[in-house]
């Protein structure tokens, strides 16, 4: 069977596979009819920051395959860990049973994450982690005799995933609008994203002003509010909206004062993206729930986790079954995915990734000087290993055109509206950074 697939792939061409895919695969986040004119790019293999198609043309994966890949494609250490695990145990259910990779991963995450997050609950994707945090927060207040605390507050332009619960607390019209009749209500408050600051107002002053608005809302509504959920430091799907860490410090204080949980969605920003292992570290805060996914397994396998405090855990710990958290996913804590995650954490430790990334970011920032001075560019910004800017354009098809043009240059970039961003795998080297910036400028000039 393996032979059959390999043989088949040898004679595969980009166009042929794209055609079969368009017939049989319903692709995510895609109007399929738009592919009548543009075929899919068929990827045969990956290595480091590069993806190769069936004509052996290569593309620099400058967005880490939807913000997930950390240490490159086909990373030898992660591959070896998965092979090893495959020969021991591929999967076992996590109710009534346990296994070494899930125990070790939970212990290591608890040591690395902000303090007191000692309990790990697993799922497979980011949206499911969000569902878990929402249900746990609501259930906590129920178990502590505050059943009216069942509302959720989110930031404007927030993104937390696409299942119905996660979509309810998402604020991006393109994804949410149509499904509104199916969703529960949530409260959106002003985002600290500094692109919304008044002229002359610093990001820090702006963060202060919007945090104050949150406080005024909670003064009135804390008795019906279970939790505030935020994407710490960078609202990625909103177009890499960045904000001052003081906002997190302030909202942590406000949530404590009004007895409201703080849920940190670090699904995209966790694992070094913002320059520290977790974004919350930059504000020196511990959320009540920390949601992780995407880079958790190095971007290899579907794995997500919600980490929470002993205080939350104890509210469920009881003789009565219904006071427990009876949520489950079939592949909760999958052994292969946990091994990939452990291998990912090894690399952080052995390679001193966080310190090395600082040097890489400094180098890339030097190269971007030529971009910053480009006449089409606004709001150039950087946080850790994320770079973004807006492009002046009136073309509604800008994002698609930019993507197509960049692919011709061998660069995978997928703008969000008119926001172009870089989120490269951490293994990117100097030469590849040059390639990224030069390709971006060429693309800008012909778009
Ligand atoms: C991607 C993402 C999610 C959803 O994760 P999935 O694995 O795609 O379900 C949730 N929150 C944030 C901030 C994300 O970037």
């Amino acid at each position: 069977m393996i032979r059959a697939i390999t043989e088949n792939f040898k004679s595969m061409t980009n166009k042929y596979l794209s055609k079969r895919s368009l017939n049989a695969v319903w692709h995510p986040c895609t109007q399929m009819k738009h592919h009548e004119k543009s075929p899919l790019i068929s990827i045969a293999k990956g290595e480091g920051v590069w993806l190769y198609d069936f004509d052996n043309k290569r593309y620099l994966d400058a967005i880490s395959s939807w913000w997930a890949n950390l240490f490159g494609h086909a990373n030898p250490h992660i591959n070896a860990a998965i092979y090893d695990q495959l020969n021991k145990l591929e999967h076992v259910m996590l109710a009534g049973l346990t296994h070494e990779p899930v125990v070790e991963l939970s212990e290591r995450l608890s040591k690395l994450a902000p303090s007191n997050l000692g309990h790990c609950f697993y799922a497979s994707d980011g949206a499911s982690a969000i569902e878990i945090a929402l249900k746990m927060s609501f259930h906590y207040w129920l178990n502590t005799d505050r059943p009216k605390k069942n509302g959720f507050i989110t930031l404007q332009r927030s993104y937390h995933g696409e299942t119905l619960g996660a979509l309810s607390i998402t604020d991006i019209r393109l994804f949410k609008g149509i499904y509104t009749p199916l969703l529960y209500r949530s409260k959106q408050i002003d985002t600290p994203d500094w692109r919304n600051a008044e002229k002359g107002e610093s990001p820090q002053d702006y963060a202060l002003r919007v945090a104050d608005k949150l406080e005024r809302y909670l003064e009135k509504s804390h008795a019906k509010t279970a939790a505030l959920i935020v994407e710490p430091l960078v609202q990625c799907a909103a177009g890499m909206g960045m904000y001052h860490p003081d906002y997190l410090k302030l909202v942590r204080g406000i949530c404590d004062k009004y007895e409201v949980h703080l849920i940190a969605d670090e699904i995209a920003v966790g694992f070094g993206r913002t320059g520290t292992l977790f974004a919350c570290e930059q504000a020196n805060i511990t959320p009540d729930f920390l949601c992780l996914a995407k880079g958790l397994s190095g971007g290899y396998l579907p794995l997500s986790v919600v980490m929470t405090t002993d205080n939350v855990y104890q509210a469920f710990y009881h003789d009565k079954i219904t006071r427990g958290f009876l949520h489950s996913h079939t592949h909760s804590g999958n052994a292969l995915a946990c091994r990939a995650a452990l291998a990912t954490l090894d690399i952080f430790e052995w390679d001193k990734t966080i310190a090395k990334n600082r040097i890489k970011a400094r180098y890339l920032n030097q190269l971007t000087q030529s971009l910053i001075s480009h006449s089409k560019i606004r709001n150039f910004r950087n946080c850790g290993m994320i770079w973004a800017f807006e492009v002046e354009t009136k073309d509604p098809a800008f994002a698609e055109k930019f993507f197509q043009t960049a692919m011709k240059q061998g660069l995978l970039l997928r703008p969000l509206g008119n926001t172009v961003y870089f989120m490269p795998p951490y293994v990117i080297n100097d030469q590849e950074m040059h390639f990224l910036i030069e390709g971006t400028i060429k693309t800008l000039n012909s778009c």
Side-chain angles (χ1 to χ4, degrees):
M1 201 57 212
I2 289 172
R3 206 179 109 88
I5 289 171
T6 318
E7 289 295 306
N8 205 358
F9 267 42
K10 270 185 195 152
S11 60
M12 195 65 65
T13 63
N14 287 324
K15 276 219 177 101
Y16 177 54
L17 193 63
S18 168
K19 205 169 147 211
R20 280 173 58 196
S21 190
L22 291 172
N23 281 332
V25 182
W26 197 337
H27 288 263
C29 204
T30 300
Q31 170 51 269
M32 295 299 289
K33 192 165 196 304
H34 289 175
H35 278 298
E36 277 175 2
K37 285 193 197 107
S38 55
L40 295 154
I41 314 288
S42 305
I43 300 302
K45 62 169 189 176
E47 196 183 346
V49 299
W50 299 100
L51 295 167
Y52 293 80
D53 71 12
F54 284 90
D55 298 329
N56 217 28
K57 178 172 167 54
R58 63 180 196 169
Y59 308 89
L60 196 156
D61 184 359
I63 56 171
S64 295
S65 291
W66 263 348
W67 321 341
N69 187 291
L70 300 185
F71 295 114
H73 298 279
N75 181 285
H77 180 63
I78 304 175
N79 284 8
I82 295 174
Y83 284 137
D84 179 66
Q85 186 59 40
L86 199 49
N87 288 318
K88 289 177 181 152
L89 173 72
E90 81 297 336
H91 176 71
V92 67
M93 59 190 268
L94 214 54
L97 305 167
T98 195
H99 55 79
E100 201 179 343
V102 78
V103 173
E104 202 179 316
L105 179 61
S106 307
E107 288 173 355
R108 274 175 82 176
L109 285 174
S110 298
K111 275 192 201 126
L112 292 167
S115 59
N116 300 321
L117 298 172
H119 302 276
C120 295
F121 196 102
Y122 290 89
S124 307
D125 50 54
S128 304
I130 297 295
E131 303 285 344
I132 289 163
L134 298 175
K135 282 175 74 177
M136 265 187 188
S137 173
F138 162 77
H139 198 162
Y140 170 91
W141 296 116
L142 192 68
N143 280 352
T144 54
D145 297 323
R146 319 270 287 277
K148 289 202 178 116
K149 282 173 84 65
N150 60 18
F152 294 98
I153 309 176
T154 78
L155 303 182
Q156 282 167 354
R157 308 266 293 144
S158 57
Y159 180 88
H160 299 292
E162 318 242 1
T163 53
L164 292 177
L167 198 58
S168 294
I169 53 159
T170 286
D171 185 40
I172 293 186
R173 184 187 286 268
L174 179 65
F175 303 141
K176 182 176 184 176
I178 288 161
Y179 304 103
T180 304
L182 305 181
L183 307 177
Y184 61 83
R185 263 196 294 188
S186 62
K187 169 76 181 170
Q188 271 72 52
I189 54 157
D190 287 18
T191 168
D193 174 353
W194 60 251
R195 288 176 298 173
N196 298 295
E198 302 279 339
K199 241 191 162 158
E201 190 177 34
S202 74
Q204 191 174 16
D205 287 344
Y206 178 61
L208 233 113
R209 180 154 69 82
V210 292
D212 192 54
K213 278 197 178 168
L214 168 72
E215 172 142 28
R216 267 182 282 136
Y217 174 76
L218 280 181
E219 256 167 24
K220 287 187 309 213
S221 308
H222 63 92
K224 60 174 188 183
T225 303
L228 164 71
I229 177 160
V230 298
E231 295 155 81
L233 296 188
V234 188
Q235 289 187 286
C236 296
M240 304 298 155
M242 299 183 182
Y243 62 86
H244 197 278
D246 274 5
Y247 180 77
L248 295 172
K249 229 178 261 174
L250 291 165
V251 299
R252 175 69 277 183
I254 295 166
C255 286
D256 284 342
K257 181 170 166 192
Y258 292 100
E259 294 190 284
V260 165
H261 287 141
L262 178 60
I263 303 172
D265 175 353
E266 293 217 19
I267 289 167
V269 296
F271 297 101
R273 266 299 153 199
T274 66
T276 42
L277 192 58
F278 299 106
C280 282
E281 289 171 34
Q282 293 184 45
N284 202 13
I285 60 150
T286 300
D288 299 286
F289 301 93
L290 177 64
C291 302
L292 303 170
K294 290 195 166 98
L296 171 59
S297 66
Y300 261 66
L301 290 161
L303 181 69
S304 64
V305 65
V306 178
M307 302 181 68
T308 191
T309 62
D310 203 46
N311 178 43
V312 169
Y313 181 77
Q314 289 304 332
F316 292 79
Y317 202 82
H318 200 270
D319 291 326
K320 239 168 87 181
I321 181 161
T322 52
R323 277 188 66 128
F325 192 61
L326 304 184
H327 185 101
S328 67
H329 294 285
T330 306
H331 286 102
S332 195
N334 171 267
L336 288 172
C338 287
R339 264 310 282 282
L342 286 167
T344 301
L345 293 180
D346 288 344
I347 300 175
F348 270 106
E349 202 176 305
W350 298 340
D351 272 5
K352 305 203 171 11
T353 305
I354 298 292
K356 273 194 189 154
N357 280 356
R358 247 173 245 144
I359 297 164
K360 287 191 184 186
R362 210 177 302 141
Y363 189 70
L364 191 61
N365 275 325
Q366 282 166 13
L367 298 182
T368 54
Q369 290 310 316
S370 49
L371 255 181
I372 296 171
S373 56
H374 196 284
S375 62
K376 280 192 192 165
I377 280 178
R378 300 287 172 270
N379 296 335
F380 186 91
R381 53 199 181 277
N382 161 235
C383 179
M385 291 297 278
I386 308 174
W387 289 261
F389 54 86
E390 272 74 57
V391 176
E392 294 258 297
T393 173
K394 294 208 164 62
D395 184 356
F398 167 78
E400 177 61 23
K401 264 186 212 160
F402 191 96
F403 165 72
Q404 297 288 355
T405 314
M407 282 304 261
K408 285 195 190 110
Q409 318 267 2
L411 203 52
L412 171 54
L413 285 171
R414 214 166 169 271
L416 296 153
N418 69 332
T419 303
V420 175
Y421 68 91
F422 310 142
M423 238 201 229
Y426 304 157
V427 291
I428 191 167
N429 65 28
D430 291 2
Q431 216 181 347
E432 291 157 348
M433 285 192 249
H434 276 276
F435 183 86
L436 167 61
I437 300 304
E438 278 157 26
T440 302
I441 291 174
K442 273 191 219 153
T443 305
L444 270 173
N445 289 339
S446 55
C447 260

